[in-house]
Amino acid sequence: MADSTPRSMSVPLTAFIAGAVVALLVGVFGKVHDPTLAGTTTFGFRTVIDMKVVLSVVIGVLAVVQLIGALWMYGKLGVRAPSWLGTAHRTSGAIALVLTVVVAYHCLWALGLETGTFADGEPVPARTVVHGVLGCAVIGAVVVKVVAVRSRRAPGWFLPVAGGLLFALLVVVVLTSAVWYIGANGWPGSGG
């Protein structure tokens, strides 16, 4: 039986507006908040940065797993998806979401959103600005993706676009944070 639920452009439009507002509010908080390490944890890692790097790598891997799972479930890999894939996809997505919130909290609370110059007058590197702004956009894209997953009235293109947007933003944020850090300093705790 075909789904006869009417499709509405109001769902993606509302989701994108809500996501943009959330991203903007997160960015404003990151700018006005006085960054502090108080209220953060390392979850047993040597430093907050070490914890964020490792969790960000895990998030990056889970994002790739999500992409492969979605392509497989929608028949884009040419191999029939096993019955357990939907559950595995939802579970890995939930884990990625929780880890993303943990890392975002620590980024915003401990470091804030850096632009312009640091307190010592040094200019904030472009990589840092791009990472911070797109990190805020990730939180907005999470809102869009959750709406896309939950909506029965959205057009068929909305879920893959929302998922693709979130994936692309996560990849750039991981590249401008964890991958950059590992390239510059080695794996956390390795003394690189």
Side-chain angles (χ1 to χ4, degrees):
M1 184 171 136
D3 183 13
S4 62
T5 305
R7 303 297 178 195
S8 171
M9 281 299 293
S10 65
V11 174
L13 290 174
T14 303
F16 282 117
I17 290 168
V21 168
V22 167
L24 181 64
L25 291 173
V26 168
V28 168
F29 172 81
K31 282 300 292 175
V32 301
H33 168 69
D34 186 23
T36 176
L37 287 175
T40 61
T41 183
T42 63
F43 290 114
F45 290 93
R46 189 173 48 88
T47 66
V48 170
I49 298 295
D50 287 355
M51 181 264 305
K52 286 177 28 181
V53 167
V54 171
L55 293 183
S56 294
V57 168
V58 172
I59 291 165
V61 169
L62 288 171
V64 171
V65 166
Q66 284 288 288
L67 176 64
I68 293 168
L71 291 172
W72 200 359
M73 284 190 303
Y74 286 99
K76 303 299 183 187
L77 299 182
V79 179
R80 185 182 169 128
S83 60
W84 52 264
L85 185 60
T87 301
H89 185 75
R90 285 187 298 279
T91 301
S92 64
I95 292 168
L97 176 61
V98 168
L99 293 178
T100 298
V101 169
V102 168
V103 171
Y105 165 79
H106 284 81
C107 284
L108 287 166
W109 193 260
L111 304 173
L113 178 60
E114 299 287 350
T115 59
T117 57
F118 290 116
D120 64 4
E122 286 291 315
V124 176
R127 178 204 59 84
T128 303
V129 175
V130 168
H131 172 74
V133 170
L134 293 182
C136 295
V138 163
I139 303 306
V142 165
V143 170
V144 175
K145 176 69 168 29
V146 168
V147 171
V149 166
R150 297 290 176 198
S151 176
R152 300 279 184 242
R153 294 185 24 241
W157 59 264
F158 182 44
L159 181 56
V161 167
L165 173 65
L166 180 56
F167 176 80
L169 288 169
L170 278 172
V171 166
V172 175
V173 169
V174 170
L175 287 173
T176 57
S177 61
V179 173
W180 171 84
Y181 179 92
I182 292 166
N185 303 297
W187 187 256
S190 67

